Amino acid sequence: MRLVLVSAAIVLLAACSAEPGSEAWCKTMKEKGKGDWTADEAMTYGKHCLLDSQTIGSEDWCAGLKDKDKGDWTNDETKSYAKHCVI
């Protein structure tokens, strides 16, 4: 029983791990009813999911950030670049 609970917790945590604005997150939001979105989700969707160049982790996003001076990167951009564009 304990193994089942641990396995279920891992699955739930993995399902929640999609970074807001990432391709996986955008896909999940497209499938979710818009009436169930929070205001923050709607803003993030509008900012990152409508144009591929803004979707965190997309080829266009990685290329655009690579061309940006690294001194101008935010902490979130650095973390997202390492997670989605390097690995």
Side-chain angles (χ1 to χ4, degrees), residues 19 56-57 61-62 65-66 70 73-87:
E19 179 180 359
I56 296 172
W61 183 85
C62 291
L65 197 56
K66 187 176 182 179
K70 289 180 178 43
W73 290 15
T74 66
N75 288 336
D76 287 338
E77 287 174 330
T78 303
K79 182 179 87 174
S80 295
Y81 186 85
K83 180 179 179 181
H84 298 285
C85 306
V86 175
I87 297 176

Side-chain angles (χ1 to χ4, degrees), residues 6-77:
V6 171
S7 297
I10 291 171
V11 169
L12 288 174
L13 290 174
C16 297
S17 66
E19 179 180 359
S22 68
E23 292 178 80
W25 184 86
C26 292
K27 182 179 178 186
T28 300
M29 292 304 293
K30 283 181 186 177
E31 296 168 357
K32 184 177 178 181
K34 288 182 176 52
D36 296 330
W37 293 9
T38 66
D40 285 340
E41 288 172 333
M43 288 179 57
T44 301
Y45 186 88
K47 181 178 179 182
H48 293 288
C49 303
L50 298 178
L51 298 174
D52 189 48
S53 63
Q54 298 300 315
T55 303
I56 296 172
S58 69
E59 288 183 33
D60 289 341
W61 183 85
C62 291
L65 197 56
K66 187 176 182 179
D67 292 340
K68 183 177 177 182
D69 184 82
K70 289 180 178 43
D72 294 334
W73 290 15
T74 66
N75 288 336
D76 287 338
E77 287 174 330

